[in-house]
Amino acid sequence: PSTMASRTTLTARRAVRTLSHRSLDWSSPVFKGDPELAAAVSNFRGWVSQAEAMEKKYAAPPTPIDFAGAKEAARDKELISSLESMYSSAKPAPETFAWDPADKAEKEQQVVEAESRMAMNQEMIEDTEKEIEFMKANRTTLDTNALHLGEAYPDIDDEIHEEMKNREWFKDHMVVTKDEDDDE
């Protein structure tokens, strides 16, 4: 149990140190869009502030125990003396934490995958922004004619000319006959 607590404390300290160096805009709309995400962010912010408060509280070593004052206040002075001798002779080994190599490799792989997805998303955002700018620049109005559309969308213009050359007048249209209409 104490090993688990020390791992949690170590993880909490590491997370607080990492997050304290970043400037996050917690009021960003991305944290408020989904109620579940908003609740998770709120819980996380509470946990971070609690961890920071604990870090400040336990930053200094504890004050020494006043065994003399305890001997005066207690009826059983022998008990206090034995506790004092046990306290002064006890030198527990410090607990150390080693990250499991398999778990570390898995987490590093997850980070690489997330960075890859983030890079792909960034590319998609840039492409979408370019497409939006292109569409804004080539907006159709009452003055727009087929020549303007052909200049803006040359691939569609080429397809139309190819269909006209091949006399594929109704290639992209569906024709419903009277018999097919009655079946429905």
Side-chain angles (χ1 to χ4, degrees):
S2 65
T3 307
M4 201 60 166
S6 66
R7 286 182 188 168
T8 304
T9 305
L10 179 65
T11 305
R13 271 191 251 134
R14 187 180 307 133
V16 168
R17 260 187 263 121
T18 302
L19 288 173
S20 65
H21 296 297
R22 296 181 185 164
S23 59
L24 293 176
D25 180 15
W26 292 109
S27 62
S28 172
V30 75
F31 295 123
K32 296 178 181 179
D34 179 23
E36 187 177 335
L37 177 63
V41 167
S42 177
N43 286 341
F44 178 72
R45 289 181 64 194
W47 176 79
V48 168
S49 62
Q50 182 183 14
E52 287 173 343
M54 288 177 65
E55 181 183 28
K56 288 177 186 173
K57 180 179 179 181
Y58 297 111
T63 57
I65 299 173
D66 181 21
F67 287 106
K71 282 182 186 175
E72 291 175 12
R75 286 183 281 169
D76 190 358
K77 314 249 187 270
E78 282 295 315
L79 176 64
I80 303 298
S81 296
S82 64
L83 287 173
E84 183 179 11
S85 64
M86 181 180 78
Y87 178 78
S88 59
S89 65
K91 303 288 183 221
E95 289 185 21
T96 57
F97 173 74
W99 196 355
D100 179 35
D103 185 42
K104 183 177 182 178
E106 179 184 342
K107 298 303 182 222
E108 288 173 349
Q109 180 62 30
Q110 289 176 354
V111 167
V112 168
E113 290 172 2
E115 288 173 347
S116 154
R117 284 193 306 268
M118 190 170 69
M120 185 179 72
N121 287 344
Q122 189 61 37
E123 286 178 24
M124 289 173 56
I125 288 170
E126 291 170 3
D127 291 345
T128 303
E129 288 173 348
K130 287 178 187 174
E131 185 68 22
I132 289 170
E133 289 302 315
F134 175 79
M135 292 176 120
K136 283 181 179 178
N138 295 299
R139 215 175 244 157
T140 59
T141 65
L142 292 175
D143 298 329
T144 305
N145 61 30
L147 184 62
H148 295 132
L149 290 174
E151 290 171 357
Y153 303 100
D155 52 338
I156 295 175
D157 189 49
D158 292 343
E159 182 182 345
I160 291 171
H161 286 297
E162 186 67 28
E163 288 176 3
M164 287 170 43
K165 188 171 84 177
N166 295 337
R167 298 181 178 268
E168 297 171 333
W169 309 115
F170 301 106
K171 176 183 156 227
D172 297 328
H173 297 285
M174 184 176 87
V175 178
V176 178
T177 63
K178 181 77 171 144
D179 295 335
E180 291 174 355
D181 196 28
D182 291 340
D183 291 341
E184 296 174 3

